[in-house]
Amino acid sequence: QVQLVESGGGLVQPGGSLRLSCAASGSITITIHIMRWYRQAPGKQRELVATISSGGSTNYADAVKGRFTISKETAKNTIYLQMNSLKPEDTAVYYCLGGGAWGQGTQVTVSS
């Protein structure tokens, strides 16, 4: 079974930074899959935040472009989302998606 485990969320003030991690295991190698970060705020639809291809190309939602960076560390089979200049509207549960599986999510709260 494919397993994705997100971590790194927490409470941060506006303008601060967080790095989220998504550790993959169980018959998935991130090198050969498209991996994505989504987020979902209460009462809202889950939205795509960032994508990284098997070849390393990236894409971002307009709302986070220039502030967030998606990357991968193949030796650890892990995807990262570096989030800078955080805004209150970034508050959501963040999920990774790959190999047809979702992680459990990690809460990010941006508040003063």
Side-chain angles (χ1 to χ4, degrees):
Q1 296 291 323
V2 174
Q3 295 187 79
L4 303 174
V5 179
E6 302 95 334
S7 62
L11 176 64
V12 64
Q13 66 182 9
S17 297
L18 286 173
R19 189 181 75 159
L20 306 184
S21 300
C22 174
S25 63
S27 302
I28 182 171
T29 302
I30 61 171
T31 302
I32 63 172
H33 290 273
I34 296 173
M35 304 296 295
R36 295 181 169 95
W37 283 100
Y38 283 75
R39 66 186 182 186
Q40 187 167 25
K44 303 292 185 180
Q45 295 295 115
R46 194 169 295 187
E47 66 174 339
L48 178 63
V49 174
T51 300
I52 187 165
S53 74
S54 60
S57 63
T58 59
N59 196 24
Y60 301 91
D62 288 343
V64 307
K65 195 171 298 182
R67 299 187 296 120
F68 291 11
T69 303
I70 186 171
S71 62
K72 58 186 176 183
E73 187 172 2
T74 57
K76 294 183 177 180
N77 213 28
T78 297
I79 306 297
Y80 302 99
L81 185 67
Q82 179 66 47
M83 306 185 295
N84 299 324
S85 302
L86 284 162
K87 305 173 180 180
E89 51 263 44
D90 296 318
T91 295
V93 178
Y94 284 71
Y95 300 88
C96 60
L97 171 67
W102 293 93
Q104 84 289 346
T106 185
Q107 177 71 50
V108 172
T109 302
V110 184
S111 177
S112 59

